Amino acid sequence: MRKLIAGNWKMNGLQAELADIAAIADAVSAHLGVDTALCVPATLIQTAATRFASMAIGGQDCHMAVSGAHTGCVSAEMLADAGAKLTIVGHSERRAAQGESDADIRGKALAAKRAGIGAIVCVGETEAERDAGQAEAIVLGQLAGSLPDEAASNWLSVAYEPVWAIGTGRIPSVEDVAAMHAAIRGALVARFGEDGAAIRILYGGSMNGENAASLLAIANVDGGLIGGASLKAEKFLPIVQAAAAAA
Ligand SMILES: O=C[C@H](O)COP(=O)(O)O
């Protein structure tokens, strides 16, 4: 399966950092065998999407409604209007800080489909849940609740992001990543049949140039969702190169 390496800039990036996006776009342009995306703050989407065509520009969240009295929110249609090709939904930082439920995330994923853009639906367990032996049950529960029945490989990806691995420099063992991705694949195939085998499952959480090759070689790891290492071309490019080598 063609791999997707998607960056998530989170709440980082002013107009001054457009030069960093330009450098990233330039660096990834040679790697045609890998799909690349950069999910930037909403304020940068339009400029980045207009200027940098070698990778998809995405958002990091969307509201489920098309428009209306939702102060401070951005709809999927607005993301598309600004030039976004996809959006992240259900990131653990939003599940925790904004109290987003699986049902909210399902609505947001459907909003992305309605607007004609892709969605990356995030799932992942906390450290306490893993220590309690509940990781798989939590992740499969989030997956069941967050994916709409309309999920399909041509517009939706899943990102498995153990919460305790995000921004910490810690990653699960190869065996644990393999087991979780296999469990997610099994659930996708059980629910969506043949197309469930084609839905990309990304790994996210402290992926970097040093560990990307081993993570991306694991069965059912179809790409990465990259936070900190997506901010600079020199850190993002080795991950894209590892994905190209693993293809
Ligand atoms: O969306 C990206 C993830 O939260 C991973 O972030 P990180 O690569 O900084 O650990």
Side-chain angles (χ1 to χ4, degrees), residues 128-146:
E129 289 162 346
R130 175 159 287 275
D131 289 346
Q134 300 169 338
E136 189 174 309
I138 292 289
V139 166
L140 294 186
Q142 290 175 345
L143 194 71
S146 304

PDB file of all heavy atoms in Angstrom, residues 128-146:
ATOM      1  N   ALA A 128      -2.249   4.799  31.469  1.00  0.00           N
ATOM      2  CA  ALA A 128      -2.961   4.051  32.525  1.00  0.00           C
ATOM      3  C   ALA A 128      -3.795   2.936  31.909  1.00  0.00           C
ATOM      4  O   ALA A 128      -3.872   1.823  32.452  1.00  0.00           O
ATOM      5  CB  ALA A 128      -3.839   5.006  33.328  1.00  0.00           C
ATOM      6  N   GLU A 129      -4.396   3.226  30.767  1.00  0.00           N
ATOM      7  CA  GLU A 129      -5.207   2.201  30.094  1.00  0.00           C
ATOM      8  C   GLU A 129      -4.323   1.055  29.598  1.00  0.00           C
ATOM      9  O   GLU A 129      -4.690  -0.115  29.707  1.00  0.00           O
ATOM     10  CB  GLU A 129      -5.994   2.840  28.945  1.00  0.00           C
ATOM     11  CG  GLU A 129      -7.125   3.739  29.453  1.00  0.00           C
ATOM     12  CD  GLU A 129      -7.660   4.711  28.415  1.00  0.00           C
ATOM     13  OE1 GLU A 129      -7.024   4.924  27.353  1.00  0.00           O
ATOM     14  OE2 GLU A 129      -8.726   5.296  28.688  1.00  0.00           O
ATOM     15  N   ARG A 130      -3.143   1.403  29.086  1.00  0.00           N
ATOM     16  CA  ARG A 130      -2.233   0.325  28.651  1.00  0.00           C
ATOM     17  C   ARG A 130      -1.761  -0.487  29.845  1.00  0.00           C
ATOM     18  O   ARG A 130      -1.752  -1.722  29.801  1.00  0.00           O
ATOM     19  CB  ARG A 130      -1.041   0.899  27.863  1.00  0.00           C
ATOM     20  CG  ARG A 130      -0.003  -0.168  27.493  1.00  0.00           C
ATOM     21  CD  ARG A 130       0.880   0.222  26.341  1.00  0.00           C
ATOM     22  NE  ARG A 130       0.204   0.177  25.048  1.00  0.00           N
ATOM     23  CZ  ARG A 130       0.065  -0.919  24.286  1.00  0.00           C
ATOM     24  NH1 ARG A 130       0.534  -2.089  24.696  1.00  0.00           N
ATOM     25  NH2 ARG A 130      -0.559  -0.858  23.128  1.00  0.00           N
ATOM     26  N   ASP A 131      -1.382   0.203  30.914  1.00  0.00           N
ATOM     27  CA  ASP A 131      -0.893  -0.513  32.100  1.00  0.00           C
ATOM     28  C   ASP A 131      -1.965  -1.443  32.669  1.00  0.00           C
ATOM     29  O   ASP A 131      -1.655  -2.474  33.262  1.00  0.00           O
ATOM     30  CB  ASP A 131      -0.458   0.483  33.180  1.00  0.00           C
ATOM     31  CG  ASP A 131       0.830   1.210  32.788  1.00  0.00           C
ATOM     32  OD1 ASP A 131       1.500   0.755  31.836  1.00  0.00           O
ATOM     33  OD2 ASP A 131       1.151   2.224  33.429  1.00  0.00           O
ATOM     34  N   ALA A 132      -3.234  -1.054  32.469  1.00  0.00           N
ATOM     35  CA  ALA A 132      -4.341  -1.877  32.983  1.00  0.00           C
ATOM     36  C   ALA A 132      -4.721  -2.990  32.007  1.00  0.00           C
ATOM     37  O   ALA A 132      -5.710  -3.711  32.235  1.00  0.00           O
ATOM     38  CB  ALA A 132      -5.548  -0.984  33.269  1.00  0.00           C
ATOM     39  N   GLY A 133      -3.968  -3.108  30.918  1.00  0.00           N
ATOM     40  CA  GLY A 133      -4.258  -4.170  29.951  1.00  0.00           C
ATOM     41  C   GLY A 133      -5.481  -3.893  29.093  1.00  0.00           C
ATOM     42  O   GLY A 133      -6.039  -4.813  28.477  1.00  0.00           O
ATOM     43  N   GLN A 134      -5.867  -2.605  29.020  1.00  0.00           N
ATOM     44  CA  GLN A 134      -7.093  -2.256  28.291  1.00  0.00           C
ATOM     45  C   GLN A 134      -6.830  -1.611  26.936  1.00  0.00           C
ATOM     46  O   GLN A 134      -7.774  -1.139  26.286  1.00  0.00           O
ATOM     47  CB  GLN A 134      -7.919  -1.265  29.128  1.00  0.00           C
ATOM     48  CG  GLN A 134      -8.351  -1.792  30.477  1.00  0.00           C
ATOM     49  CD  GLN A 134      -8.918  -0.675  31.356  1.00  0.00           C
ATOM     50  OE1 GLN A 134      -8.637   0.497  31.150  1.00  0.00           O
ATOM     51  NE2 GLN A 134      -9.705  -1.058  32.345  1.00  0.00           N
ATOM     52  N   ALA A 135      -5.573  -1.531  26.520  1.00  0.00           N
ATOM     53  CA  ALA A 135      -5.244  -0.727  25.335  1.00  0.00           C
ATOM     54  C   ALA A 135      -6.078  -1.130  24.117  1.00  0.00           C
ATOM     55  O   ALA A 135      -6.689  -0.272  23.452  1.00  0.00           O
ATOM     56  CB  ALA A 135      -3.753  -0.835  25.027  1.00  0.00           C
ATOM     57  N   GLU A 136      -6.107  -2.421  23.817  1.00  0.00           N
ATOM     58  CA  GLU A 136      -6.806  -2.856  22.603  1.00  0.00           C
ATOM     59  C   GLU A 136      -8.307  -2.581  22.708  1.00  0.00           C
ATOM     60  O   GLU A 136      -8.929  -2.108  21.738  1.00  0.00           O
ATOM     61  CB  GLU A 136      -6.543  -4.335  22.342  1.00  0.00           C
ATOM     62  CG  GLU A 136      -7.054  -4.782  20.982  1.00  0.00           C
ATOM     63  CD  GLU A 136      -6.667  -6.219  20.668  1.00  0.00           C
ATOM     64  OE1 GLU A 136      -5.469  -6.561  20.786  1.00  0.00           O
ATOM     65  OE2 GLU A 136      -7.563  -7.007  20.310  1.00  0.00           O
ATOM     66  N   ALA A 137      -8.877  -2.852  23.866  1.00  0.00           N
ATOM     67  CA  ALA A 137     -10.320  -2.628  24.027  1.00  0.00           C
ATOM     68  C   ALA A 137     -10.660  -1.144  23.880  1.00  0.00           C
ATOM     69  O   ALA A 137     -11.661  -0.781  23.245  1.00  0.00           O
ATOM     70  CB  ALA A 137     -10.782  -3.145  25.391  1.00  0.00           C
ATOM     71  N   ILE A 138      -9.821  -0.275  24.446  1.00  0.00           N
ATOM     72  CA  ILE A 138     -10.062   1.177  24.340  1.00  0.00           C
ATOM     73  C   ILE A 138      -9.970   1.620  22.886  1.00  0.00           C
ATOM     74  O   ILE A 138     -10.845   2.334  22.372  1.00  0.00           O
ATOM     75  CB  ILE A 138      -9.032   1.953  25.204  1.00  0.00           C
ATOM     76  CG1 ILE A 138      -9.279   1.694  26.691  1.00  0.00           C
ATOM     77  CG2 ILE A 138      -9.045   3.446  24.876  1.00  0.00           C
ATOM     78  CD1 ILE A 138     -10.523   2.323  27.267  1.00  0.00           C
ATOM     79  N   VAL A 139      -8.910   1.192  22.219  1.00  0.00           N
ATOM     80  CA  VAL A 139      -8.691   1.640  20.837  1.00  0.00           C
ATOM     81  C   VAL A 139      -9.798   1.114  19.916  1.00  0.00           C
ATOM     82  O   VAL A 139     -10.340   1.861  19.092  1.00  0.00           O
ATOM     83  CB  VAL A 139      -7.287   1.201  20.353  1.00  0.00           C
ATOM     84  CG1 VAL A 139      -7.151   1.347  18.845  1.00  0.00           C
ATOM     85  CG2 VAL A 139      -6.220   2.029  21.066  1.00  0.00           C
ATOM     86  N   LEU A 140     -10.148  -0.149  20.069  1.00  0.00           N
ATOM     87  CA  LEU A 140     -11.199  -0.697  19.194  1.00  0.00           C
ATOM     88  C   LEU A 140     -12.557  -0.072  19.509  1.00  0.00           C
ATOM     89  O   LEU A 140     -13.388   0.111  18.609  1.00  0.00           O
ATOM     90  CB  LEU A 140     -11.252  -2.221  19.309  1.00  0.00           C
ATOM     91  CG  LEU A 140      -9.991  -2.946  18.790  1.00  0.00           C
ATOM     92  CD1 LEU A 140     -10.200  -4.450  18.804  1.00  0.00           C
ATOM     93  CD2 LEU A 140      -9.576  -2.479  17.399  1.00  0.00           C
ATOM     94  N   GLY A 141     -12.761   0.294  20.764  1.00  0.00           N
ATOM     95  CA  GLY A 141     -13.994   0.990  21.125  1.00  0.00           C
ATOM     96  C   GLY A 141     -14.055   2.375  20.485  1.00  0.00           C
ATOM     97  O   GLY A 141     -15.084   2.785  19.934  1.00  0.00           O
ATOM     98  N   GLN A 142     -12.939   3.106  20.548  1.00  0.00           N
ATOM     99  CA  GLN A 142     -12.889   4.431  19.912  1.00  0.00           C
ATOM    100  C   GLN A 142     -13.099   4.304  18.406  1.00  0.00           C
ATOM    101  O   GLN A 142     -13.815   5.110  17.792  1.00  0.00           O
ATOM    102  CB  GLN A 142     -11.528   5.096  20.165  1.00  0.00           C
ATOM    103  CG  GLN A 142     -11.297   5.529  21.608  1.00  0.00           C
ATOM    104  CD  GLN A 142      -9.896   6.080  21.828  1.00  0.00           C
ATOM    105  OE1 GLN A 142      -9.003   5.902  20.997  1.00  0.00           O
ATOM    106  NE2 GLN A 142      -9.696   6.734  22.950  1.00  0.00           N
ATOM    107  N   LEU A 143     -12.486   3.274  17.839  1.00  0.00           N
ATOM    108  CA  LEU A 143     -12.596   3.069  16.390  1.00  0.00           C
ATOM    109  C   LEU A 143     -14.053   2.812  16.000  1.00  0.00           C
ATOM    110  O   LEU A 143     -14.582   3.425  15.062  1.00  0.00           O
ATOM    111  CB  LEU A 143     -11.722   1.874  16.003  1.00  0.00           C
ATOM    112  CG  LEU A 143     -11.430   1.673  14.529  1.00  0.00           C
ATOM    113  CD1 LEU A 143     -10.480   2.749  14.014  1.00  0.00           C
ATOM    114  CD2 LEU A 143     -10.802   0.297  14.299  1.00  0.00           C
ATOM    115  N   ALA A 144     -14.693   1.935  16.733  1.00  0.00           N
ATOM    116  CA  ALA A 144     -16.089   1.593  16.416  1.00  0.00           C
ATOM    117  C   ALA A 144     -16.982   2.822  16.508  1.00  0.00           C
ATOM    118  O   ALA A 144     -17.862   3.039  15.670  1.00  0.00           O
ATOM    119  CB  ALA A 144     -16.581   0.501  17.359  1.00  0.00           C
ATOM    120  N   GLY A 145     -16.739   3.664  17.531  1.00  0.00           N
ATOM    121  CA  GLY A 145     -17.599   4.821  17.730  1.00  0.00           C
ATOM    122  C   GLY A 145     -17.264   6.004  16.842  1.00  0.00           C
ATOM    123  O   GLY A 145     -18.134   6.826  16.535  1.00  0.00           O
ATOM    124  N   SER A 146     -16.010   6.108  16.421  1.00  0.00           N
ATOM    125  CA  SER A 146     -15.575   7.303  15.694  1.00  0.00           C
ATOM    126  C   SER A 146     -15.689   7.164  14.186  1.00  0.00           C
ATOM    127  O   SER A 146     -15.719   8.179  13.479  1.00  0.00           O
ATOM    128  CB  SER A 146     -14.115   7.632  16.036  1.00  0.00           C
ATOM    129  OG  SER A 146     -13.949   7.775  17.427  1.00  0.00           O
TER     130      SER A 146
END
